[in-house]
Every structure is written in C-alpha cells, then in structure tokens.
Amino acid sequence: MNNSDNENLIENFEDDQQVYTNQPATLDFNLERQGQVPQQHRFSSTKFRERLSSIDPLEWAKNIKMPENNYYTYPCNYDLAELHRQCHYIQPDQDFLDKTQATECPCCNKQLNRKRINFLTVNMWQLLVEDYGIAAPLYFTFLKFQMILFIIIFCVYGIFFITEVNWVCSDTKNNICLTDPHLIQEYEDACELNTIYMFVAIDPFLSQIKCSSEIDIQNGGSGFKWVYVQIAAFIIFLMNILLPLEYEIIIRYKQIKYWDKEPTNHVTENKKSVYVRHLPYKMTAEEISQTICKAIAMNNFDQVAKKSVLFEHKNSIQELVYIYDIHEINEMNIDRENSLLDFMITLEQMRELKETGMITTYSDKQIKTYKSFNLEILDNLFKQQLKDIMFKTQKIKSYLKNGLPYTNKVIIKFETKEQRDAAYLHYRKKWYQNLLIRYEVMKEQNRLKKLQNNQVADITSLYSDSRTVSVDDLQIQSQPVQQARVSVFNQNTQLAKQQYDYSNKYVEQVHYQIGVKRGFRINGIFWENLGMDTFKRLKFRLKAIFTAAIASCLLMGSFELIYFYQNNPNQVQRKSDGQLSTWEKILANCLAILVTFLSSYTTLTILGQMAKSRRSTFIEVEESIMHFFVIIQYFLIQFFPYIATFEIWGGQKKIVACYDLVTLSIHRIIFKQIFHTFHIRHTRFWLRKRKALKNFNPKRFFQGQLNQIMTPAFISQRGRQFNMLFILTTALCLIYICPVAVLFCLGFTIYIYFWDKYAITHNYQIDKRFTIELFSHQIKCYQIVVLPFSIYLFLRLFWRFDWIVYSVFSVGILMIIVIIFKKRIVKFIIFKIFRLRKKIPQTEFREQSFFRSYNKFFENLRIESLTDILVNLFRSSENESINKQSID
C-alpha cells in the first residue's frame, strides 16, 4: 500500500490513539475501487514473446534496480544481517561492538545495546521488567524459591534419613533390631549396595526406626526418632500440598509490585472486543449493532434484556475488521518470491559464465547440476523463469481482483466494556450448540469456496490466453486520489448473489446463528490462521492431535515395555545376584539410556505437532501444548514408573526396585538438562545459520531472507518452566526414599539458573507474547496433575501411621478452603500483610488497534511491494525496447 492509502486507512488511529468520529472504522480488503482508473499501459503479448526471444539478458539485467534497505535488496549484505542479529540480543558480542558504530538495525529499528552486564550477578528484574514484562524475570524468582525449598526439605527430612541409614549400615549386626527376616535382608542389601544415593526401601527404614524407638523408650529414652520422622514426612507433604497457594502469592506479589511495568495489566482492547464467527453474510456495522440490540432485547432474562439500550445509538461499534482467508495468496506470493530469487541467480550465473567462464553463484537445489550449465541452458532458463514470474503475478492479480475469500468472521471492538460484556453474555452458548452452528455454516462456506475457486480458475485461464496484457493491471497498489484500499475488488456478481441468497435465508435468525468469543489481545494474534478456511484449520488441528497422540502412544508404549523389562522379577533377581552377562549388562544400560531418550523425544514430537495446529493466537497454541504436555510429561512419563514400582514390584520393601526408580529419575533429569542446554530452538538456529554462512555468497539471498536466517530463536519460556517443575516434582517424590536425589535436583537447579541467565542474554531473544497469564496457567495445569499424585504417594508410603487418615482428611478440607478462598487469601496477604499498592504507570499505555494490526500484517506479506517491483521491472524493459526502436 502507498502512503496515501495508509493515511486514509489509519487517519482515525494516529499514534494508536482512537479519535472518535461519526462513522465506525471498518477494515475491508475487498472495497470497490474508487476514482478514475488511469490510462493503462498496454502491449501485445505476441510482440513481447518476439522481444523476449531477442532480449540480451545481461543488457536487460542492467536495468533491474532492486530496492535498497528493503526485504528484496539484492545482493544481500552480511554486515547488515549481523547487525540485525546482534540487535536482538540483550548482550551483543563485544567483538562486534568494537567493529561497528551503528546504534540500531535499519530494517526493524531495534536498538543495539552497548551497555555491558555481568550475567552472574545482574538483577534480572532490573534488566528485563521494563522491556519484557514480568514473566521472564519471574522464572528466575521461581528458581530461587525452588532452591530454598530443596534446602528446607533436605534439612527437615534428608539429613535425618541419611544419618540414620549411615548409622545402621556402620554396624548392621548390632544396630538392626528388626525381626522380619525379609526386611533385615533388604536393609543389609541396601547397606551392601553402598551407592552414592544412600537410600533404603521405605518399609525397612520405617520399621527399623520404630523398632529402635521402642527400644529407646524401654531404656528410659524419649523415642524421638519415630515421632520426628512422622512430623518431618507430614511437613514435606503439607509443603507440597500448599505449593499452589505459595506460587499464587509469589505471582500476584510480583504482579502488584511491578503493576506499572507490566503491559498486560493495562491492555484494554481485548476487554472491549469480541470475535464473531458464523456470520451469514458480510454485515455492516449498523446491521450488526441493530441485530445485537434486537437479539439482546429478546433475551428471556430481564437483567440481560435491559442492556439492549447500550446498542441503540449509532456509534456503539468502534472498530469492525472483516477476516479474510489470506493463506492461499500468501503461499502464492512466497512461490513467486522464490521464483524471482531463482531468476536473479540465473542472471548472475550468465554474467559469471560470460566474464570468468566459471559459475560461483547457485541455489541449494542446483548444487549438483550448476557445473554443467552453459549459456544456452541459462538463456532458456532465463526466459522460462521470466514467463513463470509473469504468470504467477497475473494469477495473484486475478485472485485479488476476484476478491479475497470472506470467512464469515469479524472482530468487533465496542465503545465500552459494558457493551462487550452484554453481547458476550447473550451470545454465550454451550459447546454442542456451537458445534451444530459450525457444522451448518461450514457446509455453506465450503460450497461458496468451491464456487469462487472455479471462478478464479476461469479468470486465470482468461488472463493466460489473453492477447493483450496490461502492465498497470499487475500493479495492485491504489492511486493517491482514491479514498480506500483498492488492492482487491468486491466479490463478483454471481458469488455476491449466492451470499445474498444465503443471507436472506438466515438473516431473521442471525442472533441464533453467530458464535461469539471473547476478544483477543492484539500482541499474539495469528491473522493468517484466524482467517484460514475452517475445513483447513480443522484438518491441520486433527492431523496435529492424532499425530501427537499416535506418536505418544508408540513412544510411551516402548518406554513402558522397556521399563517393565528392566524391572522383571527374574531380571531383578539376576541383577541382585550379579548373574548378568557382559552383553546383558550392556543391553540393560542401553535400554536405560533409551528410556530417557524416548521420554525426551516424545515431548519434542508433541511440541512439533501442536505448533502446526493452526491456532488463532499465540495463547491458544501455548495452552494446547501445555494441556497435552502435562498429561504426557507428568502422568505418563514421570508418574508411571512410581506406580509400577510401588504397585507391581513392591517398591516399599525391595531395594532393587527402588534403585531402578532412582536411577531412572536421575538419568532422566541429566538427559533433560542436556536437551535444555542444547535446546532444539537454538540448535536449529545455529545449524541454519551455519549452513547459510558456509561458502557464503551474498547473491544467493535477498536481504530479508538472510535477516530471517540470522534472527535468533525465541527462548522457550514454557519449556524452561516445565523443566523447572519436572526437577521440582522429582525431588518432592524421591525425598521420601532417597534424599540425596534432592541434592542432585538442587545442583541442577543452580546450574539452569546461571545457564539460563547466560542464554537469555547471549543466545536468545525474549518473546513478549509469553505473559504472566500464560505463566500462571502453566502452574495451574501442573498443580491439577501433580497434587493428586502427591496425595497418592504419601498415602502409599506412610499408610502405617495411625493418624494418616485424619491428617489427609484435614489437609483435604484445607485444600478445599484454599481453592475456594484463594483469591481472598492472596489479596489479604499482599494488600494487608505486605501492604503493597498498585503503582500508576509513568508512561501512558495507549489502546492498540485491530485495524492497524491487521493492515500491518497484510503489508508484511509483501504481496504489494513485490508486485510493484515486478511492474517497474516489466515497464522499464518495455520502455527500453521502445526507445531502441525509436532510435533505429
């Protein structure tokens, strides 16, 4: 879009500040062209073919002028790409800073940070909260809290456990007072095992303590050991149960303390907007407002019906954004972009072959064939590519001229929050009602889509067979005198008639048909996914879910089979007797490693598939991954070995079963930290960058393509938080039978604390879309799965205590109270005990515009800019030809 279009489109949104006018701002990409169409520049396709056969590609290439400081700058500049990369880091490389005087990236306007920091001692809140909000530094606060928690539970229970086990093992004949031969043998086996883990099965341990305490009481002592172990175990259990409340207090404390710094606290556009689906036709703002008013007035509840007065005035809608299916045209433009790059590479190959006799520039797909190229082959390739580019441009132009497919979706931003609440309250439906509505509207949309595709194909064939081609028709930018967007035309008459008939059929029942969801936060909308055809999105989503589910079942099935093999009673007995052969020992170790690898690979498979589900927003993608991930990560991967150990193999009494459980848990943590250190996002970025820079040739890329390759990956805050919680869960589960494992977990927590401080400042860029709400949602998902298992594990291990039933019942009542009154409890602690107050922001947070965001997204697709480049290219070629003919 040119400057005049931008001024017309966003005149009411200057500096993101809404200026109220008499008419609502409506964004519609299919507005009809206005104004006079300029005199078109035509030329004969027959003459063009004749001219194409006589064109000297090298002379013609001299007239090609690619834009400067643009995505399509050619050849690319490595120094600019490196500047682009370094500007995304909180701590750029010192060597790079010494070599450049630049202060910002010219393509994205990111500032180059020259301030040096020490990642070991830097305060992450001071460093991150101003620019990235609360979520990123809060992760490091949770790591600190986790370290303190590990130290507390180890001091309360672990020191006593290890001291007692060491004292018994120092002289088993005199110190063991057990009477059960099996328990005595298990305790002696634990002492003979003599590993660094220093643990024993829980039944022999508790029986020994109870026996020694009874002897101590008989000798006039207090028997404190038996009392202490019960109190210590219950304290740890209580701390585990109260973790949700502790996390909530920390999250809300930081949110209130930095209230003026967190952008999500001041976002208002999602509170005043709704996302509407299943509109029967493209309704105007006035029609939508009247329909909502009438529908609410018909509501059976008087309190809701009274709110219809909110929609009686004309300006009840502030913004109305129609959603179009842009996926197909975006794919077409990407294909055209790749064709243009191949075309530029072909011209460079012809120049090199003519001047030096050797080709040094080639694309990835030409690695094995470029050495066999000659001038004749390249000349034919040049002509074919030029025709291909013209055809693809014509195809895009005809697609746009026919009109982008309307998806019967719209985003409505009301004037007030009360209007939005009233509309959402009325249109809120049950899931099965939405399902029936979606099915009915999807059928009609699919029929209209097929009709439009047939029309696009007819128009495309018409263009390709036409005797005359208009260069100006290839240009989809509007003229300055036009008052609205003219990149596309309205739906043609036949399609409009179909939509009109459809609208007449359902307009009387529109308040029953449309589906309303809460509005989105603009920072995180995937506009292309939002406008994708419903059947396509459903296909992507089902494919992602089924692929992830099948992969999880296969991988987890292998995981469980291997684990059962490792803990087979015969295998266990042979292990304890030392009867395993060398090959069996190697196989056992390989299987142990394979188990940990399968668990990690399962999570990666889930992440990859759920990311392809074409969700509408970043929040929906992250939440879907969290929901799927929690089931696999905790229930199937982490908790299954505990259930198998204590329910099948008698882990309460058998030291070998406990040893396998502890070994597996420690191995899994080690492997997860290896994956954590060499994270797949950073590894993929590093490999992609290394491939591009190996034998680097600036003529193999557009500047924008190289910039994208050099852009650092976003740090996976969700993945890091899951890793943190995985370590926490392992420590809280193993503390009862192997307190030394808590020290391992403490060591890994300290490691990831400092490693992530380095990674977040030197290796990654921070994603602002991961907000405090997502952080809190992930904690809640974790708690829903982990808390029931924590209760099960405590009951399974300490059922012998007489008070266990009463204590769990009391804790259950306490949990119910905390869940019901959690918000009030947290508010009392924060506002009354800590006496915090919300600070007024020093800078004004301006309300963002869906209008501007969607328009900017369409501009970033580069459809118009690339068409403009090609139009100028064809026009300059024709002008040169005309000038030559006039000279002759």
Side-chain angles (χ1 to χ4, degrees):
M1 298 177 63
N2 55 32
N3 293 332
S4 62
D5 290 328
N6 284 334
E7 292 174 0
N8 290 329
L9 284 172
I10 62 176
E11 58 183 356
N12 296 331
F13 297 94
E14 202 67 26
D15 296 328
D16 288 329
Q17 186 80 21
Q18 173 68 34
V19 179
Y20 295 95
T21 60
N22 293 329
Q23 296 296 331
T26 303
L27 179 61
D28 186 353
F29 290 146
N30 284 356
L31 287 176
E32 187 175 1
R33 289 181 183 268
Q34 298 181 8
Q36 297 296 324
V37 179
Q39 184 65 31
Q40 297 182 350
H41 188 128
R42 299 184 179 276
F43 63 94
S44 170
S45 59
T46 303
K47 294 181 179 179
F48 177 78
R49 295 189 186 97
E50 295 174 355
R51 192 164 56 247
L52 183 62
S53 62
S54 61
I55 283 179
D56 184 355
L58 297 181
E59 290 295 328
W60 195 73
K62 293 179 181 179
N63 297 319
I64 298 178
K65 296 180 180 180
M66 301 301 289
E68 298 181 0
N69 298 326
N70 185 282
Y71 180 93
Y72 294 107
T73 299
Y74 184 88
C76 63
N77 188 320
Y78 170 76
D79 293 335
L80 290 178
E82 181 64 18
L83 174 62
H84 176 79
R85 180 173 78 95
Q86 296 294 338
C87 285
H88 283 80
Y89 292 139
I90 296 176
Q91 187 69 99
D93 297 340
Q94 185 61 49
D95 294 340
F96 176 81
L97 295 177
D98 295 338
K99 297 177 183 179
T100 183
Q101 299 298 322
T103 58
E104 66 178 14
C105 175
C107 72
C108 58
N109 298 323
K110 282 186 174 290
Q111 296 294 318
L112 182 64
N113 185 16
R114 292 183 174 273
K115 184 179 179 181
R116 308 308 295 173
I117 60 173
N118 185 343
F119 76 93
L120 294 174
T121 58
V122 67
N123 186 316
M124 300 304 291
W125 283 96
Q126 295 178 0
L127 180 65
L128 302 178
V129 72
E130 288 282 351
D131 298 324
Y132 302 101
I134 298 176
L138 184 60
Y139 165 71
F140 294 96
T141 299
F142 270 42
L143 287 175
K144 292 179 183 178
F145 171 76
Q146 189 163 298
M147 296 178 202
I148 296 173
L149 184 64
F150 288 163
I151 294 173
I152 292 175
I153 63 176
F154 183 79
C155 292
V156 170
Y157 184 87
I159 294 177
F160 171 80
F161 185 99
I162 294 173
T163 303
E164 178 67 18
V165 171
N166 285 337
W167 175 76
V168 173
C169 290
S170 62
D171 188 2
T172 55
K173 293 183 179 180
N174 297 323
N175 294 335
I176 293 180
C177 60
L178 298 172
T179 57
D180 188 338
H182 178 72
L183 295 179
I184 295 174
Q185 184 62 44
E186 286 296 330
Y187 216 124
E188 291 178 348
D189 291 342
C191 295
E192 292 176 1
L193 193 59
N194 193 23
T195 66
I196 61 173
Y197 299 139
M198 290 181 287
F199 69 94
V200 68
I202 194 67
D203 277 4
F205 173 73
L206 294 178
S207 298
Q208 169 64 25
I209 291 179
K210 185 175 183 180
C211 176
S212 60
S213 298
E214 291 174 352
I215 295 176
D216 184 49
I217 293 174
Q218 292 175 1
N219 295 333
S222 60
F224 80 97
K225 289 183 179 181
W226 181 243
V227 177
Y228 181 83
V229 73
Q230 296 182 66
I231 295 175
F234 183 73
I235 289 175
I236 293 174
F237 172 67
L238 191 61
M239 293 176 64
N240 200 346
I241 293 299
L242 293 178
L243 271 179
L245 181 61
E246 297 165 6
Y247 281 140
E248 187 70 16
I249 292 173
I250 295 175
I251 291 173
R252 300 311 164 196
Y253 176 86
K254 292 296 184 181
Q255 187 176 22
I256 299 301
K257 183 177 180 180
Y258 296 97
W259 183 265
D260 56 329
K261 309 293 184 182
E262 174 59 35
T264 57
N265 295 334
H266 312 284
V267 171
T268 57
E269 67 269 6
N270 62 323
K271 299 176 182 178
K272 295 167 60 176
S273 61
V274 291
Y275 168 51
V276 180
R277 302 166 296 168
H278 319 316
L279 279 180
Y281 69 105
K282 190 187 296 181
M283 305 172 68
T284 64
E286 185 178 356
E287 288 176 320
I288 292 177
S289 181
Q290 292 176 358
T291 300
I292 294 176
C293 181
K294 294 178 181 178
I296 294 179
M298 295 170 58
N299 196 286
N300 296 327
F301 296 96
D302 293 338
Q303 294 297 328
V304 178
K306 290 178 181 179
K307 295 182 180 181
S308 62
V309 297
L310 297 173
F311 302 90
E312 290 180 351
H313 63 282
K314 294 183 178 179
N315 296 332
S316 59
I317 296 179
Q318 187 180 124
E319 283 186 355
L320 181 63
V321 179
Y322 297 107
I323 308 299
Y324 290 92
D325 187 356
I326 306 179
H327 174 73
E328 187 171 351
I329 193 172
N330 186 33
E331 295 294 323
M332 294 161 61
N333 189 62
I334 292 174
D335 185 36
R336 181 177 61 164
E337 181 180 296
N338 295 332
S339 298
L340 178 60
L341 180 60
D342 292 338
F343 175 73
M344 300 299 294
I345 291 176
T346 299
L347 290 176
E348 186 61 28
Q349 289 173 339
M350 297 179 72
R351 187 190 64 80
E352 292 174 348
L353 193 61
K354 194 169 185 179
E355 293 179 358
T356 64
M358 181 176 61
I359 296 177
T360 59
T361 303
Y362 53 88
S363 61
D364 291 338
K365 59 185 178 183
Q366 295 176 341
I367 293 178
K368 297 181 179 180
T369 60
Y370 76 95
K371 293 182 180 180
S372 62
F373 289 168
N374 54 41
L375 288 176
E376 183 180 355
I377 294 176
L378 292 176
D379 184 67
N380 293 331
L381 186 60
F382 161 81
K383 296 174 182 177
Q384 180 61 39
Q385 289 173 341
L386 186 57
K387 291 179 181 178
D388 187 45
I389 292 173
M390 289 192 63
F391 173 76
K392 291 176 179 177
T393 303
Q394 292 172 346
K395 185 178 179 181
I396 290 177
K397 182 259 181 182
S398 63
Y399 188 91
L400 288 173
K401 190 172 183 178
N402 189 60
L404 293 173
Y406 177 53
T407 60
N408 298 88
K409 304 172 186 176
V410 67
I411 291 179
I412 303 173
K413 183 178 177 183
F414 295 102
E415 291 286 347
T416 63
K417 183 177 180 296
E418 289 74 18
Q419 292 172 329
R420 176 262 192 184
D421 293 340
Y424 178 74
L425 182 63
H426 171 74
Y427 284 106
R428 185 174 54 187
K429 295 181 177 65
K430 300 295 184 181
W431 65 270
Y432 56 86
Q433 293 174 318
N434 286 326
L435 189 63
L436 293 175
I437 293 174
R438 176 176 294 187
Y439 174 73
E440 182 178 356
V441 177
M442 279 170 56
K443 287 195 303 182
E444 186 64 23
Q445 283 181 332
N446 190 47
R447 188 180 67 82
L448 297 177
K449 177 68 175 177
K450 290 180 179 179
L451 177 62
Q452 187 182 33
N453 287 340
N454 294 334
Q455 294 163 349
V456 170
D458 294 339
I459 295 176
T460 302
S461 61
L462 179 63
Y463 270 93
S464 56
D465 294 337
S466 177
R467 296 284 297 177
T468 61
V469 180
S470 170
V471 174
D472 286 337
D473 278 351
L474 299 179
Q475 185 175 8
I476 63 174
Q477 291 191 358
S478 63
Q479 300 302 317
V481 298
Q482 295 174 336
Q483 300 178 2
R485 186 184 182 86
V486 292
S487 60
V488 292
F489 288 102
N490 272 349
Q491 306 287 355
N492 58 46
T493 304
Q494 185 177 1
L495 183 59
K497 184 178 183 303
Q498 294 290 332
Q499 290 183 337
Y500 180 75
D501 294 340
Y502 180 48
S503 67
N504 287 337
K505 182 178 179 181
Y506 294 106
V507 69
E508 297 298 331
Q509 300 178 0
V510 68
H511 55 280
Y512 297 116
Q513 293 294 323
I514 66 176
V516 176
K517 293 180 64 176
R518 290 186 176 92
F520 304 128
R521 187 181 293 113
I522 290 179
N523 182 23
I525 295 180
F526 296 144
W527 288 108
E528 183 178 352
N529 295 347
L530 193 66
M532 186 177 291
D533 181 77
T534 308
F535 279 110
K536 289 182 181 178
R537 293 185 66 191
L538 182 62
K539 182 181 69 175
F540 278 116
R541 190 169 301 179
L542 292 177
K543 180 181 177 182
I545 292 175
F546 281 113
T547 304
I550 293 173
S552 301
C553 291
L554 293 177
L555 293 173
M556 290 310 304
S558 303
F559 167 81
E560 293 165 3
L561 289 175
I562 293 173
Y563 186 80
F564 270 110
Y565 172 78
Q566 289 289 94
N567 290 272
N568 185 280
N570 297 328
Q571 185 83 349
V572 170
Q573 185 63 35
R574 296 177 65 194
K575 279 184 184 179
S576 61
D577 296 340
Q579 296 179 0
L580 287 179
S581 65
T582 303
W583 289 107
E584 287 176 323
K585 292 180 180 179
I586 295 175
L587 177 61
N589 292 328
C590 291
L591 290 178
I593 296 175
L594 182 60
V595 166
T596 57
F597 174 78
L598 283 175
S599 62
S600 299
Y601 187 75
T602 303
T603 59
L604 294 178
T605 302
I606 294 171
L607 294 178
Q609 291 301 320
M610 298 308 294
K612 299 177 182 178
S613 59
R614 299 288 182 174
R615 300 280 179 172
S616 300
T617 63
F618 178 82
I619 293 177
E620 290 182 1
V621 173
E622 291 294 303
E623 288 183 349
S624 65
I625 294 176
M626 291 175 189
H627 299 160
F628 212 108
F629 200 77
V630 161
I631 298 174
I632 301 298
Q633 176 76 9
Y634 294 109
F635 185 75
L636 295 180
I637 293 180
Q638 191 160 24
F639 297 153
F640 168 78
Y642 289 88
I643 296 174
T645 298
F646 295 116
E647 297 297 335
I648 299 176
W649 308 122
Q652 303 96 311
K653 300 179 180 180
K654 295 182 179 180
I655 185 63
V656 176
C658 292
Y659 177 79
D660 287 338
L661 177 64
V662 173
T663 303
L664 175 65
S665 300
I666 299 299
H667 283 177
R668 225 171 22 211
I669 290 181
I670 293 174
F671 265 77
K672 286 188 72 68
Q673 303 325 302
I674 294 175
F675 279 103
H676 183 87
T677 303
F678 305 99
H679 196 273
I680 187 171
R681 288 191 182 184
H682 183 67
T683 303
R684 188 187 297 119
F685 158 73
W686 182 81
L687 292 174
R688 187 174 63 247
K689 180 170 73 75
R690 182 176 180 272
K691 180 181 179 181
L693 299 183
K694 185 179 181 181
N695 300 324
F696 176 71
N697 188 331
K699 297 174 182 178
R700 293 178 58 187
F701 307 99
F702 291 126
Q703 185 65 50
Q705 291 177 327
L706 184 60
N707 286 353
Q708 289 179 352
I709 293 173
M710 298 290 284
T711 302
F714 285 114
I715 190 167
S716 177
Q717 292 176 250
R718 173 203 1 93
R720 275 160 168 73
Q721 190 168 322
F722 263 126
N723 182 58
M724 174 192 73
L725 296 174
F726 187 88
I727 295 176
L728 173 65
T729 307
T730 301
L732 293 177
C733 291
L734 291 182
I735 178 64
Y736 299 121
I737 61 174
C738 182
V740 175
V742 177
L743 297 181
F744 279 94
C745 294
L746 176 61
F748 287 127
T749 304
I750 296 173
Y751 164 72
I752 65 174
Y753 175 78
F754 289 105
W755 168 253
D756 284 344
K757 288 180 71 174
Y758 173 82
I760 206 171
T761 53
H762 292 77
N763 291 347
Y764 298 92
Q765 59 172 321
I766 301 176
D767 197 340
K768 295 182 181 180
R769 297 172 298 179
F770 194 92
T771 61
I772 185 67
E773 283 81 5
L774 278 174
F775 195 103
S776 179
H777 183 79
Q778 187 171 4
I779 295 293
K780 292 176 181 178
C781 293
Y782 161 81
Q783 295 161 357
I784 291 174
V785 176
V786 172
L787 287 182
F789 181 78
S790 300
I791 297 174
Y792 156 78
L793 187 63
F794 182 74
L795 291 174
R796 196 71 182 86
L797 296 180
F798 299 101
W799 184 255
R800 64 172 60 216
F801 295 157
D802 298 333
W803 48 266
I804 192 74
V805 176
Y806 304 103
S807 66
V808 172
F809 178 75
S810 302
V811 170
I813 295 177
L814 178 63
M815 285 181 59
I816 295 174
I817 295 174
V818 168
I819 292 172
I820 295 175
F821 300 102
K822 183 169 66 174
K823 290 185 177 180
R824 297 181 182 179
I825 295 173
V826 172
K827 286 183 178 180
F828 175 80
I829 294 174
I830 291 177
F831 293 112
K832 299 298 182 182
I833 298 179
F834 294 115
R835 298 185 179 277
L836 287 182
R837 293 293 181 268
K838 296 179 180 179
K839 298 180 182 179
I840 300 176
Q842 297 179 356
T843 58
E844 182 182 359
F845 287 87
R846 296 176 177 178
E847 190 171 271
Q848 298 186 50
S849 167
F850 292 98
F851 187 93
R852 169 172 287 185
S853 176
Y854 197 19
N855 188 57
K856 185 177 180 181
F857 160 76
F858 193 78
E859 289 180 352
N860 290 338
L861 296 180
R862 303 179 300 276
I863 298 173
E864 296 176 334
S865 60
L866 181 55
T867 302
D868 188 46
I869 292 173
L870 295 174
V871 166
N872 294 332
L873 175 66
F874 298 143
R875 180 178 286 116
S876 62
S877 172
E878 186 174 3
N879 290 338
E880 181 187 2
S881 176
I882 294 174
N883 292 335
K884 286 184 178 180
Q885 291 177 4
S886 62
I887 294 174
D888 295 339

